[in-house]
Amino acid sequence: MNAPVSAWAALERQQQAGPASLRWPAELGTVVLAIDSEKGGVGKSSLASGLIAVMAAAGHEVLAIDLDPRATLTAELDAVSTDPEALGVNDLLWEPPDADPEELPELRGLAEQALRPAGPKWRPVQVLAAERVLAHREADTSTPNLEHRLALALDGVAKRFRLVVIDLPPRAGGRLVGAGLLAATHVVFPGTLDEDGLVGVQDARRTASRLARTHPGTLHQVGVLRTIVEPRTRLGELSDTTYLDSFDDVVDVVIPKRVVRREARTACVPITTAPGRDAQDLITAYTLVLNTLATIAEVR
């Protein structure tokens, strides 16, 4: 990884280098990546869908896990179901308080029953979908070991996929965040170049560090990723300098702000299907993030 430079220097370097090739070694095992910021609006779901799109376009099996009750990623992946019997991630994290434990399904590997395909434009992506009721898990004190249930449900299932992406909610140290981090092998911290972005990264890193104290060696930090980077302004420069001064693991890749990103999300299609230079800027950025992740995962 190159030494971090200003966001705009990094973006200029990305654009001058042109389209990047995905480097995901065949021998690399399953990587479970959590995307974490404790502020909303920093591009977590956009980053998740972009990474998923690039991996899927390369023919890799990918699993998307949406832990945000707003279900933004679920909707973008065209995985919203009208079937009342369809299982989602909430069904993996909750059990009725009056249920007989002998009658409940085995939790280990239960995620297999909740998988659903993303929309036809997203194949071969599978989804563990979110819905609004998932928000109740934050105050759930009756379900035993709630934070550990996702990892157990993924046991034996995650290995089917080259990459698992977990979109975490912007909830400070919440139970859903804990469940996602405990299921992950790696975590990246996206942040916009403003005060909210900075605070979101700081708080998310604090939560991950607390978890590492009780579960050492299980979660590896990819670093801080500057997202939704707009044209240079004085305020943006000040924020960028703060990032570089505050964190020693700022990734030397940036995600630029592009209107085509919103258009792809609205149409529920992968950014890899969008034409034009702006779409290519995003595809290149997502590819470089994946290459950085693969390099770090290989070392582990």
mmCIF file of all heavy atoms in Angstrom, residues 93-99 104 136-146 149 175:
data_model
loop_
_atom_site.group_PDB
_atom_site.id
_atom_site.type_symbol
_atom_site.label_atom_id
_atom_site.label_comp_id
_atom_site.label_asym_id
_atom_site.label_seq_id
_atom_site.Cartn_x
_atom_site.Cartn_y
_atom_site.Cartn_z
ATOM 1 N N LEU A 93 -31.287 -13.757 14.320
ATOM 2 C CA LEU A 93 -30.858 -13.079 15.539
ATOM 3 C C LEU A 93 -31.893 -13.127 16.663
ATOM 4 O O LEU A 93 -31.584 -12.726 17.790
ATOM 5 C CB LEU A 93 -30.541 -11.610 15.221
ATOM 6 C CG LEU A 93 -29.447 -11.356 14.186
ATOM 7 C CD1 LEU A 93 -29.236 -9.866 14.009
ATOM 8 C CD2 LEU A 93 -28.151 -12.047 14.579
ATOM 9 N N TRP A 94 -33.093 -13.602 16.387
ATOM 10 C CA TRP A 94 -34.181 -13.542 17.372
ATOM 11 C C TRP A 94 -34.808 -14.921 17.559
ATOM 12 O O TRP A 94 -34.890 -15.716 16.624
ATOM 13 C CB TRP A 94 -35.250 -12.567 16.889
ATOM 14 C CG TRP A 94 -36.481 -12.542 17.737
ATOM 15 C CD1 TRP A 94 -36.626 -11.949 18.962
ATOM 16 C CD2 TRP A 94 -37.759 -13.116 17.427
ATOM 17 N NE1 TRP A 94 -37.896 -12.122 19.432
ATOM 18 C CE2 TRP A 94 -38.628 -12.839 18.513
ATOM 19 C CE3 TRP A 94 -38.255 -13.840 16.342
ATOM 20 C CZ2 TRP A 94 -39.955 -13.249 18.543
ATOM 21 C CZ3 TRP A 94 -39.571 -14.251 16.377
ATOM 22 C CH2 TRP A 94 -40.407 -13.955 17.462
ATOM 23 N N GLU A 95 -35.203 -15.165 18.783
ATOM 24 C CA GLU A 95 -36.048 -16.324 19.024
ATOM 25 C C GLU A 95 -37.118 -15.927 20.037
ATOM 26 O O GLU A 95 -36.860 -15.128 20.958
ATOM 27 C CB GLU A 95 -35.244 -17.522 19.515
ATOM 28 C CG GLU A 95 -34.493 -17.331 20.802
ATOM 29 C CD GLU A 95 -33.638 -18.552 21.146
ATOM 30 O OE1 GLU A 95 -32.943 -19.077 20.260
ATOM 31 O OE2 GLU A 95 -33.679 -18.967 22.319
ATOM 32 N N PRO A 96 -38.336 -16.431 19.899
ATOM 33 C CA PRO A 96 -39.431 -16.061 20.795
ATOM 34 C C PRO A 96 -39.069 -16.401 22.242
ATOM 35 O O PRO A 96 -38.546 -17.480 22.526
ATOM 36 C CB PRO A 96 -40.607 -16.911 20.299
ATOM 37 C CG PRO A 96 -40.252 -17.261 18.890
ATOM 38 C CD PRO A 96 -38.769 -17.375 18.846
ATOM 39 N N PRO A 97 -39.317 -15.485 23.164
ATOM 40 C CA PRO A 97 -38.930 -15.726 24.565
ATOM 41 C C PRO A 97 -39.646 -16.905 25.204
ATOM 42 O O PRO A 97 -39.142 -17.487 26.164
ATOM 43 C CB PRO A 97 -39.283 -14.413 25.261
ATOM 44 C CG PRO A 97 -40.267 -13.736 24.369
ATOM 45 C CD PRO A 97 -39.915 -14.148 22.980
ATOM 46 N N ASP A 98 -40.824 -17.264 24.670
ATOM 47 C CA ASP A 98 -41.576 -18.375 25.259
ATOM 48 C C ASP A 98 -41.384 -19.689 24.482
ATOM 49 O O ASP A 98 -42.083 -20.675 24.720
ATOM 50 C CB ASP A 98 -43.068 -18.038 25.314
ATOM 51 C CG ASP A 98 -43.638 -17.673 23.952
ATOM 52 O OD1 ASP A 98 -42.846 -17.507 23.008
ATOM 53 O OD2 ASP A 98 -44.874 -17.553 23.846
ATOM 54 N N ALA A 99 -40.430 -19.697 23.540
ATOM 55 C CA ALA A 99 -40.231 -20.892 22.711
ATOM 56 C C ALA A 99 -39.539 -21.989 23.508
ATOM 57 O O ALA A 99 -38.705 -21.731 24.378
ATOM 58 C CB ALA A 99 -39.397 -20.547 21.484
ATOM 59 N N LEU A 104 -36.722 -25.431 18.666
ATOM 60 C CA LEU A 104 -36.092 -24.445 17.789
ATOM 61 C C LEU A 104 -35.096 -25.128 16.857
ATOM 62 O O LEU A 104 -34.485 -26.137 17.216
ATOM 63 C CB LEU A 104 -35.369 -23.389 18.627
ATOM 64 C CG LEU A 104 -36.271 -22.480 19.467
ATOM 65 C CD1 LEU A 104 -35.422 -21.619 20.397
ATOM 66 C CD2 LEU A 104 -37.143 -21.608 18.572
ATOM 67 N N HIS A 136 -35.768 -3.893 16.317
ATOM 68 C CA HIS A 136 -36.136 -4.344 17.661
ATOM 69 C C HIS A 136 -35.012 -5.111 18.349
ATOM 70 O O HIS A 136 -35.010 -5.252 19.576
ATOM 71 C CB HIS A 136 -37.381 -5.232 17.604
ATOM 72 C CG HIS A 136 -38.599 -4.532 17.094
ATOM 73 N ND1 HIS A 136 -38.895 -3.224 17.389
ATOM 74 C CD2 HIS A 136 -39.610 -4.975 16.285
ATOM 75 C CE1 HIS A 136 -40.023 -2.879 16.798
ATOM 76 N NE2 HIS A 136 -40.477 -3.923 16.111
ATOM 77 N N ARG A 137 -34.066 -5.605 17.579
ATOM 78 C CA ARG A 137 -32.986 -6.394 18.181
ATOM 79 C C ARG A 137 -32.066 -5.543 19.042
ATOM 80 O O ARG A 137 -31.410 -6.056 19.943
ATOM 81 C CB ARG A 137 -32.174 -7.117 17.105
ATOM 82 C CG ARG A 137 -32.991 -8.047 16.207
ATOM 83 C CD ARG A 137 -33.423 -9.320 16.916
ATOM 84 N NE ARG A 137 -34.430 -9.143 17.924
ATOM 85 C CZ ARG A 137 -35.728 -8.956 17.685
ATOM 86 N NH1 ARG A 137 -36.184 -8.878 16.450
ATOM 87 N NH2 ARG A 137 -36.579 -8.847 18.694
ATOM 88 N N GLU A 138 -32.032 -4.238 18.794
ATOM 89 C CA GLU A 138 -31.167 -3.378 19.608
ATOM 90 C C GLU A 138 -31.591 -3.376 21.075
ATOM 91 O O GLU A 138 -30.754 -3.267 21.974
ATOM 92 C CB GLU A 138 -31.166 -1.948 19.063
ATOM 93 C CG GLU A 138 -30.515 -1.783 17.707
ATOM 94 C CD GLU A 138 -29.004 -1.978 17.725
ATOM 95 O OE1 GLU A 138 -28.444 -2.313 18.784
ATOM 96 O OE2 GLU A 138 -28.384 -1.809 16.660
ATOM 97 N N ALA A 139 -32.885 -3.503 21.320
ATOM 98 C CA ALA A 139 -33.392 -3.489 22.699
ATOM 99 C C ALA A 139 -33.788 -4.879 23.172
ATOM 100 O O ALA A 139 -34.423 -5.024 24.221
ATOM 101 C CB ALA A 139 -34.590 -2.542 22.801
ATOM 102 N N ASP A 140 -33.402 -5.896 22.428
ATOM 103 C CA ASP A 140 -33.780 -7.274 22.742
ATOM 104 C C ASP A 140 -32.908 -7.805 23.887
ATOM 105 O O ASP A 140 -31.701 -7.988 23.733
ATOM 106 C CB ASP A 140 -33.597 -8.141 21.493
ATOM 107 C CG ASP A 140 -34.047 -9.581 21.677
ATOM 108 O OD1 ASP A 140 -34.309 -9.978 22.822
ATOM 109 O OD2 ASP A 140 -34.120 -10.295 20.660
ATOM 110 N N THR A 141 -33.530 -8.044 25.023
ATOM 111 C CA THR A 141 -32.795 -8.590 26.175
ATOM 112 C C THR A 141 -33.176 -10.037 26.465
ATOM 113 O O THR A 141 -32.666 -10.629 27.417
ATOM 114 C CB THR A 141 -33.062 -7.736 27.429
ATOM 115 O OG1 THR A 141 -34.470 -7.720 27.703
ATOM 116 C CG2 THR A 141 -32.560 -6.319 27.236
ATOM 117 N N SER A 142 -34.068 -10.593 25.659
ATOM 118 C CA SER A 142 -34.537 -11.955 25.933
ATOM 119 C C SER A 142 -33.845 -13.018 25.082
ATOM 120 O O SER A 142 -33.726 -14.167 25.500
ATOM 121 C CB SER A 142 -36.055 -12.046 25.730
ATOM 122 O OG SER A 142 -36.397 -11.780 24.378
ATOM 123 N N THR A 143 -33.400 -12.647 23.875
ATOM 124 C CA THR A 143 -32.731 -13.629 23.023
ATOM 125 C C THR A 143 -31.317 -13.883 23.553
ATOM 126 O O THR A 143 -30.516 -12.955 23.642
ATOM 127 C CB THR A 143 -32.653 -13.138 21.572
ATOM 128 O OG1 THR A 143 -33.969 -12.921 21.063
ATOM 129 C CG2 THR A 143 -31.938 -14.166 20.696
ATOM 130 N N PRO A 144 -30.995 -15.120 23.879
ATOM 131 C CA PRO A 144 -29.675 -15.400 24.452
ATOM 132 C C PRO A 144 -28.553 -15.262 23.423
ATOM 133 O O PRO A 144 -28.714 -15.638 22.266
ATOM 134 C CB PRO A 144 -29.805 -16.851 24.934
ATOM 135 C CG PRO A 144 -30.900 -17.435 24.110
ATOM 136 C CD PRO A 144 -31.856 -16.314 23.837
ATOM 137 N N ASN A 145 -27.442 -14.664 23.873
ATOM 138 C CA ASN A 145 -26.230 -14.558 23.048
ATOM 139 C C ASN A 145 -26.502 -13.939 21.680
ATOM 140 O O ASN A 145 -25.990 -14.413 20.665
ATOM 141 C CB ASN A 145 -25.595 -15.946 22.865
ATOM 142 C CG ASN A 145 -25.197 -16.578 24.179
ATOM 143 O OD1 ASN A 145 -24.567 -15.941 25.015
ATOM 144 N ND2 ASN A 145 -25.590 -17.829 24.378
ATOM 145 N N LEU A 146 -27.294 -12.881 21.679
ATOM 146 C CA LEU A 146 -27.712 -12.292 20.403
ATOM 147 C C LEU A 146 -26.512 -11.910 19.542
ATOM 148 O O LEU A 146 -26.497 -12.168 18.326
ATOM 149 C CB LEU A 146 -28.596 -11.070 20.652
ATOM 150 C CG LEU A 146 -29.273 -10.452 19.427
ATOM 151 C CD1 LEU A 146 -30.623 -9.835 19.813
ATOM 152 C CD2 LEU A 146 -28.406 -9.395 18.764
ATOM 153 N N ARG A 149 -24.970 -14.811 17.490
ATOM 154 C CA ARG A 149 -25.837 -15.677 16.701
ATOM 155 C C ARG A 149 -25.535 -15.621 15.202
ATOM 156 O O ARG A 149 -25.627 -16.635 14.501
ATOM 157 C CB ARG A 149 -27.309 -15.341 16.966
ATOM 158 C CG ARG A 149 -27.753 -15.665 18.381
ATOM 159 C CD ARG A 149 -29.174 -15.167 18.652
ATOM 160 N NE ARG A 149 -30.159 -15.882 17.886
ATOM 161 C CZ ARG A 149 -30.735 -17.019 18.276
ATOM 162 N NH1 ARG A 149 -30.404 -17.575 19.427
ATOM 163 N NH2 ARG A 149 -31.639 -17.599 17.524
ATOM 164 N N ARG A 175 -26.112 -3.558 19.417
ATOM 165 C CA ARG A 175 -26.045 -5.022 19.383
ATOM 166 C C ARG A 175 -25.911 -5.549 17.949
ATOM 167 O O ARG A 175 -25.269 -6.572 17.728
ATOM 168 C CB ARG A 175 -27.278 -5.610 20.062
ATOM 169 C CG ARG A 175 -27.495 -5.098 21.481
ATOM 170 C CD ARG A 175 -28.489 -5.935 22.243
ATOM 171 N NE ARG A 175 -27.871 -7.190 22.684
ATOM 172 C CZ ARG A 175 -28.532 -8.155 23.319
ATOM 173 N NH1 ARG A 175 -29.828 -8.013 23.561
ATOM 174 N NH2 ARG A 175 -27.914 -9.256 23.695
#
